[in-house]
Each structure stands twice: as structure tokens, then as C-alpha cells.
Amino acid sequence: MSLLDLMKYRDSGELSDVTIVVEGEELKLHKFPLYIKSDYFKEVAAESGKEQVELEEFPGGAACFKVIADFCYNKKIDISLENVAQLRCGAEYLKMAGDNNLIDLTERYLDDIIRSAQMSRSLSPIVDLISRTACLGPAAEEAKIAERCFAAVMDVWTKPGRVDALVVDRLLRLPLDWFERLAKSCGSEGERQLRPLAELATRYLHRVFQRDTDLQKQQQQQKKPEKKKEQEKSAEKEKDDDDAGEEAAEEPQQEQQEAREEQQQEEAGEASDAEADGGDKKKQQQQQQQQQQQNEPKEPTGEVLDRVIGSLPEPTPLAEVISGDWIRLALLASEQYSCQCRPRLLQLAGNMLHRFRQEELKQMPSPVLCDIVSSTAAAMGGDAGASGEAQVLSGVIDNHLLDLARAGSLTAEEFAKLAASVPADYRASHDTLYEAAETLLTAGESIPDDQQKAVVEAVDLSRCEVSTLQRALDKGAFPAKVVCQAAIDLAQRQQSLQVDGKFARREDFKPTFSSSPSRRYGRNVASPSYDGIGAGYSSYREPIYGSKFDSDFDASSGLRYSALGGYSDTAAYPDTDRGARLDFQYSGASGGRYSSRKW
């Protein structure tokens, strides 16, 4: 039989001995040309001699199979960017391997497309291939078109030049399965692919977050008319009940009711006219929303978040490309859907917490912020108190509390929880924390006693500057006993500044605070260690305090106390009409004296 005969029988269907069914469409064909090109049909013939074969879930459907059937009959076919993915997957389905067979021809065409795109640094044809392959089913997996395209995409993306926004948008429309495969395929060529991957992943997830936000807005808008109707009905019912027993007011009431009904009818007519005028706009908006929903992942937000974050290689630099608003939405979603990726997101948020703008921190819910701080502190370890990272973390939280207090948007409960989320030894000082507490307590709002106590206990005044103690004494935001207790503790620490029997100047040392339990105060207090920077001091030590502590307090003369160990210290509080002040005097047993030294 000649080639012309084969082509003639393909067009006419004469002498057909097999029927191929694709998507319900029957094609009258011949076994011989199909067996020559396709191992699939050979296997079917060997298993059974049935004259009808149904191809389920054939890539590209009946239209693609017709082109492949023409190829089997030696008819000339056109391979293009539009159909090469379908033909390649269809050839994989039918097992059309061998030289100059359909797999071979389509593979060469794919190589040409990818190579040309890489040389011209154009992502458009590669992304087009990915989009067309994504809907072709299992045959696309076996053909491995996606992996070759993914590698080409990242190769072109990492080269100098601008990436077309339309091309990126098409990548963002990929099904979740394919985007996950794209993410997992990156990183094999080195870390240069990770930055563009991070940008793509964050934008892909942002579309999902935006989908949830839009859905919530729609639900709120639907509830507003219903709530308004309920309020109107309730108001009318109350008015009717009040006037039900007044016979004299029946006629005016009826007139008012009729007037209201007429007004409602007029408003309804105006609304219907406006609705008719804006009908086209609403239809356009609905079409846009439907199109946008088709381009978004169909899976729940929690599943999308887990799978995308889980597919990213560990060193992916997400912190370099995300904003505070993005991480806030991600953390809220991870909490709502109990995502497995939440610990990784908390760690990410902690690493970039110092980069958040003030507005971004204010939008972050306090419970989420507490989780971030707790997770970050746990990652730092128990010995991080003296590190710069720990002080940066505490500084961010303390300044955030101060900003919220000044804005009047901070509650005592939030203050206590956020302040306690930072480990005690992370703060080099409590001055900023005290200022936030003072602003909160003196704002004029009514705060329950137990919450006031929690705010006061969150601040360790003994780790504040003397000027802050002076301010606390003047303002009266904290109980006087708490301020005096802090003054005692501060005086004892000044007493410990002894080097070779002499008292050193405070400015000659840099204190580093560490927290240790105190039996006397029943809480953690800070004990300093000092690094000498003054001239002439080669060795120093901290004195060992005696086991006995005597103190007596007189409201008129101030606080006077003595500590064992050869020192006598006084902290004087002059009369209030001259202004309160703190004055420390030190005299040492070795003869050295520090008198009237004010800090």
C-alpha cells in the first residue's frame, strides 16, 4: 500500500478495522498505520482483538489525537509553540518512540524553543510552554517538559535584564502543584536562583491572602443591608408598641406609616433605576472577579501556604523581599488554619523585626507579636542576654510599647504580656519600658488594680538611670515603696564599684547586666559586671555583701540604711517643696571617701 493510499483511507475512513474513541468522539481508522507508529496500539492488539479502543484523559483531547492520527498516516503536520506540548504528551501517551517518530520530532522542537529563549533572554515562550503543559495530566509528568522549562526560567531570570511583568503574572497563575514543582526544582544550580524564587513565592502567596481579604469584605458588605433592615424593623416595632395604647394618636400614626411606606417605595424605585444604570458596570466587575478567581489556586489558604513555604529551599532569602504587611497576613493565616509552616514564619518575622516600620508594627496584633518574640528568644538560647541581637529585640518591643502608649492604643493587659515576652536579661535598661508604663498609667483611663500591679511589676526600676528614678518619684505613677526599693538596689550597685580599696568613677566602667534571683525582693534583680576603661585600673572585684540588712524609713527625713562590709550609705529625700532629688554619699573603711556624689 503506498503513502497516497494511506492518506486517502485516512480521509475517507474506508475499510476501517478499528474505532478510536476520544472524548466521546469516534474516529474510524486502520490498525496497520497505528501499529507502525505506536507501541501503545501494539500492546492493545496483543491483549485483545477488540475493534474499539477508548483513550481516557488523552492529552489535548480529540483535536490533538486527530493530528497524531494524521502523522501515523504519513500526512504532513505542523508543529508549533501552540501545539508542541500537547503533541509531545500525546506521543508519550501512545509510546511513539524511535528516530523521526513523534517523540523525537517534538523533543527537537522543544529544545529549539528553550535554547532560543535562553539566548534571547526571553521568558515568554518558556512560560507559555509551562502554562500549556500544566493541564495535560500524567503524560506531562512522564514527558518531563516542566523540569526543562523550570530550569530555563530560572536561568533567564538570574541573568541581567528586566523580566516582563506579564510573563511573571502568567507564572503566578500556575496551579499549586506546578508552582510547587517549580519551587522544588530551584536551587540545584546554586543560590543565585533563590532570590527570584523568593520574589515569586511571596507574590504567589500574596494573591491567596488577597483572595481571603476580598472574601471577608464581600461578607461584611452583605451583612450591612441585613443589619440595617433589622434595625429599621426593630425601630418601627418599638414605635408601634409605644403608640398602641394611645387612641388619640391612631390617625397621625397611620399617616406617618403611610408616609414612610411611600418614602420607602420612592427610595426603592430610585435604587432600582440606579441599579439598572449601573448594571453594565456590575457585570464587568463580576466578570473580572470570576476571571481572577479562575487564575487563583483552588486549594484552601492553609494548604497553599504550607505547600509553598515547604517547597522553598531552606536558604531562600524571604526576609529580603517581604514586607511587614506580608508577614502579618502570613502569620494570621497560619494561625487560623493551624499551618505546619508557622514556626518557620515566626522565625522569619523575628529575624526581620528590627526592619519593621512603626505603622507595620502597630498593625501587628499583640498576640502575634508575643509569639514572634517568644519564638525568637527560644531560637537565641538562654545565654543570649548579653548579645547585641537580644538588646535589639528588646529595644524594638520597648519602643513599640512607648509608641502605642503615646497613641492611646495600648491596654494594660497588652503591655504586661508584651513586656513579659522579652526575657528579663535581654534588656540593658528599663528606661524606655518605664516611660511606656508611665504614659499608660497617667493617661487618665480607668485601669483595674490587678492590671496596674502587672504593669508595675513588668518594669524593674533598679535597672533604670537615676534620672528615671527621679522622674518616677516626681510623677508618682509608681508606688513610692517601689521607687525607694529601686533606689536601694541602685545604691548597692554603686557601692560595688570598688577597685583596690578605692571607688572608681561610674564613667570608667561599662556595665553589662545579668539577672539573678533575689531572696530579699522575691523577684529577679540585675547584678552588674564591669569592664574597666579608665586609666590605672588593672584589677577589680565585686564585694561580697553581708548577710544582715538593716533599714529604717522616715517620711520626713528620707530613707537611711547601712550595709555590712565597712560602708555607710545614705539616700536623702529633701522636703518636697524644694523638689525631690536623690543624693548618694559613700565613705569607705579604707579611708577613701566619695561625698555628695550625684548621679
Side-chain angles (χ1 to χ4, degrees), residues 80-98:
S80 64
L81 178 62
E82 287 73 22
N83 68 1
V84 64
Q86 295 178 346
L87 294 176
R88 174 64 184 87
C89 295
E92 188 72 29
Y93 187 106
L94 298 174
K95 301 179 181 180
M96 302 176 68

PDB file of all heavy atoms in Angstrom, residues 80-98:
ATOM      1  N   SER A  80       4.052  23.580  16.286  1.00  0.00           N
ATOM      2  CA  SER A  80       4.239  24.989  16.650  1.00  0.00           C
ATOM      3  C   SER A  80       4.291  25.127  18.163  1.00  0.00           C
ATOM      4  O   SER A  80       4.084  24.159  18.911  1.00  0.00           O
ATOM      5  CB  SER A  80       3.095  25.834  16.090  1.00  0.00           C
ATOM      6  OG  SER A  80       1.869  25.447  16.676  1.00  0.00           O
ATOM      7  N   LEU A  81       4.539  26.355  18.605  1.00  0.00           N
ATOM      8  CA  LEU A  81       4.565  26.628  20.040  1.00  0.00           C
ATOM      9  C   LEU A  81       3.205  26.337  20.663  1.00  0.00           C
ATOM     10  O   LEU A  81       3.122  25.919  21.827  1.00  0.00           O
ATOM     11  CB  LEU A  81       4.955  28.087  20.289  1.00  0.00           C
ATOM     12  CG  LEU A  81       4.979  28.575  21.740  1.00  0.00           C
ATOM     13  CD1 LEU A  81       6.008  27.797  22.548  1.00  0.00           C
ATOM     14  CD2 LEU A  81       5.263  30.072  21.804  1.00  0.00           C
ATOM     15  N   GLU A  82       2.132  26.524  19.904  1.00  0.00           N
ATOM     16  CA  GLU A  82       0.784  26.330  20.427  1.00  0.00           C
ATOM     17  C   GLU A  82       0.439  24.864  20.669  1.00  0.00           C
ATOM     18  O   GLU A  82      -0.374  24.551  21.544  1.00  0.00           O
ATOM     19  CB  GLU A  82      -0.251  26.957  19.483  1.00  0.00           C
ATOM     20  CG  GLU A  82      -0.288  28.483  19.508  1.00  0.00           C
ATOM     21  CD  GLU A  82       0.933  29.092  18.814  1.00  0.00           C
ATOM     22  OE1 GLU A  82       1.554  28.377  17.982  1.00  0.00           O
ATOM     23  OE2 GLU A  82       1.261  30.247  19.112  1.00  0.00           O
ATOM     24  N   ASN A  83       1.023  23.938  19.869  1.00  0.00           N
ATOM     25  CA  ASN A  83       0.605  22.542  19.997  1.00  0.00           C
ATOM     26  C   ASN A  83       1.726  21.568  20.340  1.00  0.00           C
ATOM     27  O   ASN A  83       1.474  20.372  20.508  1.00  0.00           O
ATOM     28  CB  ASN A  83      -0.085  22.079  18.708  1.00  0.00           C
ATOM     29  CG  ASN A  83       0.882  21.991  17.524  1.00  0.00           C
ATOM     30  OD1 ASN A  83       2.075  22.248  17.647  1.00  0.00           O
ATOM     31  ND2 ASN A  83       0.347  21.635  16.360  1.00  0.00           N
ATOM     32  N   VAL A  84       2.956  22.052  20.463  1.00  0.00           N
ATOM     33  CA  VAL A  84       4.068  21.122  20.666  1.00  0.00           C
ATOM     34  C   VAL A  84       3.952  20.392  22.002  1.00  0.00           C
ATOM     35  O   VAL A  84       4.277  19.197  22.097  1.00  0.00           O
ATOM     36  CB  VAL A  84       5.422  21.853  20.553  1.00  0.00           C
ATOM     37  CG1 VAL A  84       5.580  22.897  21.669  1.00  0.00           C
ATOM     38  CG2 VAL A  84       6.579  20.864  20.598  1.00  0.00           C
ATOM     39  N   ALA A  85       3.485  21.077  23.040  1.00  0.00           N
ATOM     40  CA  ALA A  85       3.348  20.419  24.341  1.00  0.00           C
ATOM     41  C   ALA A  85       2.288  19.320  24.285  1.00  0.00           C
ATOM     42  O   ALA A  85       2.476  18.220  24.819  1.00  0.00           O
ATOM     43  CB  ALA A  85       3.002  21.443  25.413  1.00  0.00           C
ATOM     44  N   GLN A  86       1.166  19.604  23.632  1.00  0.00           N
ATOM     45  CA  GLN A  86       0.116  18.587  23.508  1.00  0.00           C
ATOM     46  C   GLN A  86       0.600  17.391  22.684  1.00  0.00           C
ATOM     47  O   GLN A  86       0.364  16.235  23.053  1.00  0.00           O
ATOM     48  CB  GLN A  86      -1.120  19.212  22.860  1.00  0.00           C
ATOM     49  CG  GLN A  86      -1.788  20.286  23.703  1.00  0.00           C
ATOM     50  CD  GLN A  86      -2.978  20.909  23.007  1.00  0.00           C
ATOM     51  OE1 GLN A  86      -3.166  20.728  21.798  1.00  0.00           O
ATOM     52  NE2 GLN A  86      -3.789  21.646  23.759  1.00  0.00           N
ATOM     53  N   LEU A  87       1.277  17.673  21.560  1.00  0.00           N
ATOM     54  CA  LEU A  87       1.770  16.585  20.716  1.00  0.00           C
ATOM     55  C   LEU A  87       2.813  15.752  21.443  1.00  0.00           C
ATOM     56  O   LEU A  87       2.831  14.520  21.324  1.00  0.00           O
ATOM     57  CB  LEU A  87       2.341  17.149  19.415  1.00  0.00           C
ATOM     58  CG  LEU A  87       1.337  17.811  18.466  1.00  0.00           C
ATOM     59  CD1 LEU A  87       2.051  18.420  17.261  1.00  0.00           C
ATOM     60  CD2 LEU A  87       0.284  16.809  18.019  1.00  0.00           C
ATOM     61  N   ARG A  88       3.690  16.423  22.201  1.00  0.00           N
ATOM     62  CA  ARG A  88       4.728  15.682  22.935  1.00  0.00           C
ATOM     63  C   ARG A  88       4.080  14.784  23.996  1.00  0.00           C
ATOM     64  O   ARG A  88       4.494  13.623  24.156  1.00  0.00           O
ATOM     65  CB  ARG A  88       5.694  16.668  23.602  1.00  0.00           C
ATOM     66  CG  ARG A  88       6.723  16.023  24.517  1.00  0.00           C
ATOM     67  CD  ARG A  88       7.650  15.107  23.730  1.00  0.00           C
ATOM     68  NE  ARG A  88       8.585  14.415  24.603  1.00  0.00           N
ATOM     69  CZ  ARG A  88       8.344  13.269  25.218  1.00  0.00           C
ATOM     70  NH1 ARG A  88       7.162  12.642  25.044  1.00  0.00           N
ATOM     71  NH2 ARG A  88       9.247  12.702  25.979  1.00  0.00           N
ATOM     72  N   CYS A  89       3.103  15.293  24.715  1.00  0.00           N
ATOM     73  CA  CYS A  89       2.440  14.484  25.742  1.00  0.00           C
ATOM     74  C   CYS A  89       1.580  13.385  25.118  1.00  0.00           C
ATOM     75  O   CYS A  89       1.507  12.261  25.638  1.00  0.00           O
ATOM     76  CB  CYS A  89       1.595  15.375  26.644  1.00  0.00           C
ATOM     77  SG  CYS A  89       2.551  16.552  27.622  1.00  0.00           S
ATOM     78  N   GLY A  90       0.926  13.695  23.992  1.00  0.00           N
ATOM     79  CA  GLY A  90       0.162  12.672  23.300  1.00  0.00           C
ATOM     80  C   GLY A  90       1.044  11.558  22.772  1.00  0.00           C
ATOM     81  O   GLY A  90       0.687  10.371  22.841  1.00  0.00           O
ATOM     82  N   ALA A  91       2.216  11.922  22.254  1.00  0.00           N
ATOM     83  CA  ALA A  91       3.167  10.915  21.780  1.00  0.00           C
ATOM     84  C   ALA A  91       3.675  10.062  22.935  1.00  0.00           C
ATOM     85  O   ALA A  91       3.907   8.851  22.784  1.00  0.00           O
ATOM     86  CB  ALA A  91       4.328  11.603  21.069  1.00  0.00           C
ATOM     87  N   GLU A  92       3.829  10.686  24.129  1.00  0.00           N
ATOM     88  CA  GLU A  92       4.233   9.930  25.313  1.00  0.00           C
ATOM     89  C   GLU A  92       3.132   8.953  25.721  1.00  0.00           C
ATOM     90  O   GLU A  92       3.413   7.803  26.088  1.00  0.00           O
ATOM     91  CB  GLU A  92       4.530  10.901  26.459  1.00  0.00           C
ATOM     92  CG  GLU A  92       5.149  10.260  27.680  1.00  0.00           C
ATOM     93  CD  GLU A  92       6.595   9.846  27.455  1.00  0.00           C
ATOM     94  OE1 GLU A  92       7.272  10.493  26.628  1.00  0.00           O
ATOM     95  OE2 GLU A  92       7.047   8.887  28.118  1.00  0.00           O
ATOM     96  N   TYR A  93       1.908   9.389  25.650  1.00  0.00           N
ATOM     97  CA  TYR A  93       0.755   8.545  25.981  1.00  0.00           C
ATOM     98  C   TYR A  93       0.700   7.327  25.073  1.00  0.00           C
ATOM     99  O   TYR A  93       0.463   6.192  25.525  1.00  0.00           O
ATOM    100  CB  TYR A  93      -0.521   9.386  25.842  1.00  0.00           C
ATOM    101  CG  TYR A  93      -1.795   8.727  26.294  1.00  0.00           C
ATOM    102  CD1 TYR A  93      -2.404   9.098  27.481  1.00  0.00           C
ATOM    103  CD2 TYR A  93      -2.425   7.746  25.519  1.00  0.00           C
ATOM    104  CE1 TYR A  93      -3.597   8.512  27.900  1.00  0.00           C
ATOM    105  CE2 TYR A  93      -3.607   7.151  25.928  1.00  0.00           C
ATOM    106  CZ  TYR A  93      -4.194   7.529  27.111  1.00  0.00           C
ATOM    107  OH  TYR A  93      -5.370   6.940  27.523  1.00  0.00           O
ATOM    108  N   LEU A  94       0.933   7.526  23.758  1.00  0.00           N
ATOM    109  CA  LEU A  94       0.839   6.454  22.765  1.00  0.00           C
ATOM    110  C   LEU A  94       2.163   5.721  22.542  1.00  0.00           C
ATOM    111  O   LEU A  94       2.222   4.825  21.687  1.00  0.00           O
ATOM    112  CB  LEU A  94       0.335   7.027  21.438  1.00  0.00           C
ATOM    113  CG  LEU A  94      -1.064   7.653  21.478  1.00  0.00           C
ATOM    114  CD1 LEU A  94      -1.393   8.304  20.147  1.00  0.00           C
ATOM    115  CD2 LEU A  94      -2.112   6.619  21.855  1.00  0.00           C
ATOM    116  N   LYS A  95       3.210   6.127  23.287  1.00  0.00           N
ATOM    117  CA  LYS A  95       4.514   5.455  23.216  1.00  0.00           C
ATOM    118  C   LYS A  95       5.053   5.437  21.786  1.00  0.00           C
ATOM    119  O   LYS A  95       5.368   4.392  21.212  1.00  0.00           O
ATOM    120  CB  LYS A  95       4.414   4.031  23.753  1.00  0.00           C
ATOM    121  CG  LYS A  95       3.942   3.957  25.195  1.00  0.00           C
ATOM    122  CD  LYS A  95       3.838   2.528  25.700  1.00  0.00           C
ATOM    123  CE  LYS A  95       3.348   2.492  27.144  1.00  0.00           C
ATOM    124  NZ  LYS A  95       3.224   1.105  27.665  1.00  0.00           N
ATOM    125  N   MET A  96       5.200   6.634  21.237  1.00  0.00           N
ATOM    126  CA  MET A  96       5.653   6.783  19.852  1.00  0.00           C
ATOM    127  C   MET A  96       7.133   7.158  19.837  1.00  0.00           C
ATOM    128  O   MET A  96       7.529   8.252  19.420  1.00  0.00           O
ATOM    129  CB  MET A  96       4.803   7.836  19.133  1.00  0.00           C
ATOM    130  CG  MET A  96       3.320   7.503  19.137  1.00  0.00           C
ATOM    131  SD  MET A  96       2.265   8.776  18.410  1.00  0.00           S
ATOM    132  CE  MET A  96       2.746   8.669  16.691  1.00  0.00           C
ATOM    133  N   ALA A  97       7.989   6.240  20.300  1.00  0.00           N
ATOM    134  CA  ALA A  97       9.426   6.476  20.369  1.00  0.00           C
ATOM    135  C   ALA A  97      10.102   6.002  19.089  1.00  0.00           C
ATOM    136  O   ALA A  97       9.503   5.327  18.248  1.00  0.00           O
ATOM    137  CB  ALA A  97       9.997   5.760  21.583  1.00  0.00           C
ATOM    138  N   GLY A  98      11.401   6.368  18.954  1.00  0.00           N
ATOM    139  CA  GLY A  98      12.167   5.958  17.781  1.00  0.00           C
ATOM    140  C   GLY A  98      12.608   7.156  16.960  1.00  0.00           C
ATOM    141  O   GLY A  98      12.069   8.268  17.083  1.00  0.00           O
TER     142      GLY A  98
END
